[in-house]
Amino acid sequence: MNGADAILATLADNGVEACFANPGTSEMHFVSALDREPRIRPVLCLFEGVVTGAADGYGRMAGKPAVTLLHLGPGYANGVANLHNARRAYTPIVNVIGDHATYHRKYDAPLTSDIEALARPNSRWIGVAEDADHAAYLAAEAVRHSFGPPGGSATLVLPADCAWSPATRKGGVAERPMPAAPDGAQVDAAARALKAAAKPVVLIGGQACEARGLAAAGRLAAHGIRVLTDTFVARQPRGGARYSPDRMPYFAEMALSDLAGADLMVLAGTTQPVAFFAYPAMPSVLVPEGCQELSLAGRAEDAGAALEALADALGAPAEAAPNGYAVPERPTGEINAYTIGASIARHMPEETVISDDAVTSGLPIFMQTRGARPHDWLALTGGAIGQGIPVAIGAAVACPDKKVLCLTGDGAGMYTVQGLWTIARESLDVTVVVFANHSYRILGIELSRTGAGKPGVSAASLLDLGDPRIDWTALARGMGLPAVRCETAEAFDAALAGAMGQKGPIVIEAAMS
Amino acid sequence: MNGADAILATLADNGVEACFANPGTSEMHFVSALDREPRIRPVLCLFEGVVTGAADGYGRMAGKPAVTLLHLGPGYANGVANLHNARRAYTPIVNVIGDHATYHRKYDAPLTSDIEALARPNSRWIGVAEDADHAAYLAAEAVRHSFGPPGGSATLVLPADCAWSPATRKGGVAERPMPAAPDGAQVDAAARALKAAAKPVVLIGGQACEARGLAAAGRLAAHGIRVLTDTFVARQPRGGARYSPDRMPYFAEMALSDLAGADLMVLAGTTQPVAFFAYPAMPSVLVPEGCQELSLAGRAEDAGAALEALADALGAPAEAAPNGYAVPERPTGEINAYTIGASIARHMPEETVISDDAVTSGLPIFMQTRGARPHDWLALTGGAIGQGIPVAIGAAVACPDKKVLCLTGDGAGMYTVQGLWTIARESLDVTVVVFANHSYRILGIELSRTGAGKPGVSAASLLDLGDPRIDWTALARGMGLPAVRCETAEAFDAALAGAMGQKGPIVIEAAMS
C-alpha cells in the first residue's frame, strides 16, 4: 500500500464514490491506485473547469463530496472559477492537487507555483501532505472539513512522493459535522418581530431552501407572510405540490422596488441581500431604508429546523397553499425563453435536475416551471459563467436515474464546452439546451445600465458572438454527441419531448434570433 | 474623460496596441472607452485562458505588452494557467482585472473574491486603483513593471468606480527599464574557466536565445565549445543561417546522460537546470556530479551582450559554422511526427512563427526544422498545456505579415479550443495542426517512468481520449474555420503546402493512429 492507495481507501471509507480528474505526471500513482479502489469511479474531464464544476454538481445532488484530481498550480487554477461558484453554493468538495515531490519543490521546476496561495481564496481548509501516512490522515480530515458547516472545498496538496512512498495505515473515518440546532431565543425574537411588523418578508437561502425549510416557508406563506429566496440558490426542490416562493430580483432597482415598504426582513440560511454589481448612483444593500433585519439562522445553523420552529411559534397552518399551476399549452411561433420554458414545463419528467447557466434566458424558464413536475433547480451561485455543462455532468453522475437538463447560454457554454465530451464518454442522461442568441446579451443590458453609453464598433465587438456564428450541432457531433438545431417553438417542443422521453445525451441548439 | 479613458490613453501612450478581452459588467466602462481609443485593438476571446495565452504570444513576438481585460477573480483565475506559462517565458503583459466598485467590495457580493491573493503567484507587480487618477497613474506603472527585467505580468486591479468616475489627467510615459550591462568580471571568470575546462558546456536560455545571444553562442560553438539551450525557450529564432544549438533533453536521465563527463557549465540568461518532474530514485538537478556551475549572466542582465563579450574574450571566430542542412524529401506512408516535421520543413515560408504545444510530437518536428527557412519557435515554457492556440492568436495579432503555425496535441488543444473562434473572427493567418493521437500520450510514458505500474481499466480511462474520438474538423467548422483531416503523410504534405501557400486560417487534423 502506497500513499495513493491509503488516500483512496480513506476517501472511500468516508463515503467518497466519484473522482473527477484531469491528471498529469505528478498524479500518476494516484491514477494507478484508482485501479485498486473499485469504490471510487474515475471520470475524465478534458479541462479542469469541467472537473471542478462536475464536483460541484455532484456535491449539490449527493450531499457529500466527490474528489477532484488536479495537476499542480495551473491545473488547480483552471478549476478555480467553478470552485468559486461552489464556494457560493457551500458545496462539499475534496480537491486533491498533485504537487512536485517534497524534495523537488525547492528547485523551482517549470510547473512549480505557490499552490497554497492559489487555493486559499476558495478553500475552507487546506492540508499539505508531508509523507504518505500524513496524506492518508489528511484525506479523512479533508472529507470532514468539506462538510463545514456550511460545506465547501477542502484542499489536499499531495506531493508526488507522498503518493508513491509506502504507507503504513489508512486515515480514519471522520464524523460528519452537523449544523447547529436552532437557537430558541432567535426563533422567539423572529416570531415576536413578525407579529409586530406591518409588512414583513422572510428571505431564505442555502440550507433553508432544502425540502424541510421550504415546507416550513410554505406554512409561513399560508400564514400570510411574504417569503422570498435568494436570487441564486444552490439546489432548490420545486414543482409538484412543493412550495415555490418568488426569488429576489437580480437587478438592484427591481429588488428594491419589489421590497418597497417592507419594515422587517427575517433571514434564514442566508445573509443580508446585496446587489450583484454596483452601478453608479444605485445602493449596494437590497434592504429598504428603515427595514429591520433579523437573523433567524445563519449558514452554519439548521435553518430548516429554525423555520419549522418559527412556523410552529406563529401557529401557521400545517401546509402551504396549493400552487394552482396549469401546464402551459404547446408553444408556437418564434423561439424564445418563454416558449422554451413552456416546453420544459410540458415535457420534463419527474425528478429532473436542471443545471441553469442560461443567464438572460434563465428567469422566464424559472417562472414557467414553478409548478411543473417535481424537479431540482441548480442555479449559478457565484456568477462565473461556464458552470452549466459541468454541474450537469456531476448531477448525472450523482443521480444516474434522473434526467438532467442543462440550460446554458452560448457564451456561457463556450467556457467549458469540453464538458460535452465527458457527457458522451460517460453516456450521461443529460440534455443540453444551448440558447444561441450569438451575444453576451446580459452585457448589452448591463452596458446601458451602468451608464457606459451606446456601444460603438469596438465595444460592440466585445459583446457580439455572431461573427462567425457558432454551430453547436457541429461542436456536439465533434465531441460524439447527437445534436439538433431548432428554429421554431414547435420544433423545439418536439425535440425536447423526444429528449425527455428517452435515456441518453443530446444537445439541442435553440436558435434565438 | 473618465478613469477608463485615462487608463486606455495612458496605455496607448506607453505603446500598448492590443487588448485581449473577455469582459463582464464591472468592465463596461473600460469596454466603452475602447471606442474612444483607436490606438488599441480589441480582440474578443471566449475564455480567459485564450485571453492570457494570446497576450503571452503577443508579448513574445512584439517585445512589449498587450493588455488583457478580465472579469474579477474568477475571470482572472481562468487565465492563470497561461499566465503561469507567461511567467516562465518572462513575457511582458499588463492585466487589467475589473473589480466591484470600491464601496461595494465590503458587501461580499457573489462575484467577490480575494483578487490580489489569486494574482500574487503570477504577478511581478500588482497595483490596486483607489480612484480614477490613481488608476491612470498605475496604468503607466504597470507597463513599466511588465518589462522587468526580466519581463512578466503586471496586474492592475480596477474597481468599477475608478473606471467610471471622472479623471483629471492621464498617467505618464514610463521609461522602459533595460537589462543590466554584462559584468566584466563574470565574463573574465567564465572565459578563464572555459579555457581550463576539459569538457565544458554553455547553457543558454531566455534573452540569451534572442538573435544577438544566439549569434555569439554560434561563435562559441565554432570555437569548439558545446552550447545547449534550455528545453523550453520562450522565443528562439531558428533556421536559415542562424545557429541552432541542441536543447537540453526533457527527461532527466537523458539530460544527465547527454551531459556525462561535463566539468563546467556556464549559464547565460538562465539558471541551474532541473528535472521537469521528480521521479523515484532520479536526481532533481541536471548537472553531473563534480561539474562546476558558473553564471555568466542572469535573467535580469543583458545575456546576449555577455555572450558576445565572452566570445570576444576567447578569440572565437566571427561567425558560426554553416548548418549543412538539407530540406527533407516529400514524406510518404503513415503519418507521424517525423513525416509532419518533414512537411513543415519543406513548406513553411520565411518568417513563420511556430507556436508549439505538441507535447510528444514537438521534439521530432523541432529536430527536423533546425535549418529550414528562418522562423521563430515559441515553446511551452511552463508546462501548462493549452498554450498553443492562444499563443498563436497573439503572435498573429503582433505580426500580421507572418504565417503562424500552431502545433498542438489533441489533449492540449481541447484546453483552449475556444481560441479557434477568435482565429476565425479575426481572420488570422494561422494554420492549426492538431496531432490527433486520441490520448494523453505523454502520460502513458510518464506512468511507466514514475514506476506507477501498468494501467488497469481505471487508470487507462484517465489517459485515453479515444472514446469517443474527437472530430477536429467538426469542431473547427463549428467555430467558423475551414478544416481538413489527413490520414497519410502524402495527404498532410499536400494540405500543409496549400495552407502555407495562401493567407488565412485553417485547421489540419493529423490522424496519428
Side-chain angles (χ1 to χ4, degrees), chain B residues 169-188:
Chain B
R169 56 179 178 276
K170 297 194 287 183
V173 174
E175 198 171 333
R176 178 173 176 160
M178 300 305 288
D183 179 322
Q186 278 172 289
V187 172
D188 291 346

Side-chain angles (χ1 to χ4, degrees), chain A residues 213-269:
Chain A
L214 265 187
R219 293 174 59 200
L220 294 176
H223 191 63
I225 296 170
R226 183 153 192 234
V227 176
L228 289 171
T229 71
D230 279 340
T231 311
F232 301 104
V233 172
R235 176 185 176 181
Q236 186 178 343
R238 304 174 77 231
R242 292 160 176 170
Y243 173 58
S244 286
D246 290 336
R247 61 185 187 186
M248 285 275 291
Y250 175 77
F251 291 125
E253 68 276 20
M254 289 169 65
L256 282 169
S257 147
D258 186 53
L259 291 168
D263 59 347
L264 171 68
M265 183 181 284
V266 174
L267 303 165

Side-chain angles (χ1 to χ4, degrees), chain A residues 71-74 100 104-105 107-114, chain B residues 81 83-90 122 230-232 250 271-278 284 286 299 380-384:
Chain A
H71 186 47
L72 296 102
H100 287 309
H104 194 67
R105 284 184 295 203
Y107 296 112
D108 195 35
L111 264 166
T112 308
S113 65
D114 188 345
Chain B
L83 289 174
H84 170 92
N85 290 327
R87 173 165 65 92
R88 297 298 185 179
Y90 300 93
N122 289 292
D230 279 340
T231 311
F232 300 105
Y250 174 77
T271 48
Q272 183 188 61
V274 299
F276 206 90
F277 289 107
S284 289
L286 302 186
R299 297 192 197 274
L380 175 63
T381 44

Side-chain angles (χ1 to χ4, degrees), chain B residues 16-21 39-45 50-51 53-67 353 378 389-404 419 422-430 503:
Chain B
V16 173
E17 295 181 279
C19 174
F20 299 99
R39 291 175 290 172
I40 296 183
R41 171 182 178 183
V43 177
L44 176 61
C45 306
V50 182
V51 168
D56 184 13
Y58 182 95
R60 295 193 200 187
M61 292 309 300
K64 65 179 187 178
V67 61
V353 181
L378 314 184
I389 294 171
V391 159
I393 291 170
V397 170
C399 307
D401 297 329
K402 297 189 182 200
K403 175 67 78 178
V404 177
T422 296
I423 293 175
R425 150 75 66 109
E426 301 290 331
S427 296
L428 301 175
D429 192 13
V430 176
K503 270 232 162 198

Side-chain angles (χ1 to χ4, degrees), chain A residues 19 21-26 28-29 31-32 34-37 40 42-48 69 71-75 77-82 84 87-88 90 100-101 103-104 107-114 117-122 160 164 232 250 272 274-285 381-385 411 414-418 421 424-425 440 442-444 446-447 450-472 474-481, chain B residues 19 21-26 28-29 31-32 34-37 40 42-48 69 71-75 77-82 84 87-88 90 100-101 103-104 107-114 117-122 160 164 232 250 272 274-285 381-385 411 414-418 421 424-425 440 442-444 446-447 450-472 474-481:
Chain A
C19 174
N22 189 289
T25 298
S26 36
M28 285 297 101
H29 287 81
V31 165
S32 177
L34 281 162
D35 283 328
R36 300 182 288 276
E37 181 46 81
I40 295 182
V43 177
L44 176 62
C45 305
L46 302 188
F47 177 70
E48 291 87 351
L69 182 60
H71 186 47
L72 296 102
N78 279 333
V80 163
N82 272 332
H84 169 91
R87 173 165 67 91
R88 296 297 184 179
Y90 300 92
H100 287 309
Y103 58 84
H104 194 67
Y107 296 112
D108 195 35
L111 264 166
T112 308
S113 65
D114 188 345
L118 287 168
R120 187 73 56 195
N122 289 293
W164 77 50
F232 301 104
Y250 175 77
Q272 184 189 61
V274 298
F276 206 91
F277 289 107
Y279 302 92
M282 194 89 71
S284 289
V285 174
T381 44
I385 59 173
M414 284 302 287
Y415 265 65
T416 45
V417 65
Q418 309 91 341
W421 183 86
R425 151 74 65 108
Y440 290 126
I442 183 70
L443 296 186
E446 295 285 33
L447 190 79
T450 56
K454 272 212 176 317
V457 173
S458 287
S461 78
L462 293 181
L463 312 185
D464 166 66
L465 309 180
D467 177 21
R469 288 200 165 196
I470 293 164
D471 178 349
W472 280 88
L475 297 187
R477 289 197 201 104
M479 287 182 260
L481 287 180
Chain B
C19 174
N22 190 288
T25 298
S26 37
M28 286 298 100
H29 286 81
V31 165
S32 176
L34 281 162
D35 281 329
R36 300 182 289 276
E37 182 44 83
I40 296 183
V43 177
L44 176 61
C45 306
L46 302 188
F47 177 70
E48 292 87 350
L69 181 61
H71 187 47
L72 296 103
N78 279 334
V80 162
N82 272 332
H84 170 92
R87 173 165 65 92
R88 297 298 185 179
Y90 300 93
H100 287 310
Y103 59 83
H104 194 66
Y107 295 112
D108 196 34
L111 263 167
T112 308
S113 65
D114 188 344
L118 287 168
R120 186 74 54 196
N122 289 292
W164 78 49
F232 300 105
Y250 174 77
Q272 183 188 61
V274 299
F276 206 90
F277 289 107
Y279 303 91
M282 193 89 72
S284 289
V285 175
T381 44
I385 59 173
M414 283 303 287
Y415 265 64
T416 44
V417 66
Q418 308 91 341
W421 183 86
R425 150 75 66 109
Y440 291 125
I442 183 70
L443 296 186
E446 295 284 34
L447 190 80
T450 56
K454 273 211 176 311
V457 173
S458 287
S461 77
L462 293 182
L463 312 185
D464 166 65
L465 308 180
D467 178 23
R469 289 199 163 197
I470 293 164
D471 178 349
W472 280 88
L475 297 188
R477 288 197 203 105
M479 287 182 261
L481 287 180

